[in-house]
Amino acid sequence: MIRRAVLIVLGLVWLGPTYLLLVNASRPASSYDPGRAWIPSGDFALFENFGRALDGANLTQSLASTALYSIVSPLLGVLIGALAGYVIVVLRLRHGFWWFLLLFGGTVFPSQMLLVPLFVGYSDAGLYDSRLGMILIYTAINVPLAAFVLRNFYTGVAFSIFEAARMDGASTWRIFWRIYLPISFTALTAVFILEFTFIWNDLIFGLTLTQTEDVRPVMTAIAGLMTDVYAGTPVPVGLAAGLVVSLPTVVLFLATQRLFARGLSLGSVQ
């Protein structure tokens, strides 16, 4: 009984910020009062506030760019990661473990350490504030996770499958494309969902590598909107924008949670 009571209290504390977000994002922009933030206003103005955010920060273009990054980069990332896992495990690349460590080792460094060299390199290469540049950086960031999961997955696949396909005359590429890629679909999907969520919610790389409205990710645009709170942007407008924009990741996870859990378990360390 005591344990249940403690869990309920902790759950309510955990849900407190979510409650504040829902209540204040839904209240009319003109009725926001910090002293009454915990009390619902009785009026539902969520979509009205979001409409004001769309117009005020031109979120439409940012949403389109974010959708592009969140789909293209994870697709490229899981494909390259699957190829890396296939080459290291199935084709038995010489010193494959050390190549894998080199590929995955970059993830031990905090993202903040990459910002200055990325900014300088992107500026010199003409990739700063470009959609191509954002796709490239998001793809590069996503490859190590995909390689890690797929390497573990392919370790559990019988090598006799590859040998039988080679005896039937299939090429190395055909074996990967027609056999190994389809059987790893669940693991690929799980990685794609994780990477989609990361890119959709990314702020730091968008702030560093973009500037114009048609290139910057949506979370960067919302951050710019929230910094204008004291210059005339009502708090409910910024909260409504953040809430509505976050819904695609929630819907995606809820729609694919069983597939997601199964894919991660298949790609777990053997």
Side-chain angles (χ1 to χ4, degrees), residues 193-223:
I193 295 170
L194 281 175
E195 295 178 347
F196 177 94
T197 303
F198 166 75
I199 295 173
W200 189 275
N201 294 326
D202 173 64
L203 173 64
I204 188 169
F205 291 106
L207 283 174
T208 306
L209 302 177
T210 65
Q211 183 177 10
T212 57
E213 294 179 346
D214 60 335
V215 177
R216 64 183 180 182
V218 68
M219 291 303 172
T220 305
I222 292 177

Side-chain angles (χ1 to χ4, degrees), residues 10 17 23 63 65 70-71 98 123 128 130 139 180 183 202-203 233 261:
L10 292 177
V23 168
L63 280 170
S65 296
S70 301
I71 294 174
W98 297 106
S123 299
Y128 177 77
S130 69
T139 300
Y180 279 84
I183 65 177
D202 173 64
L203 173 64
T233 301

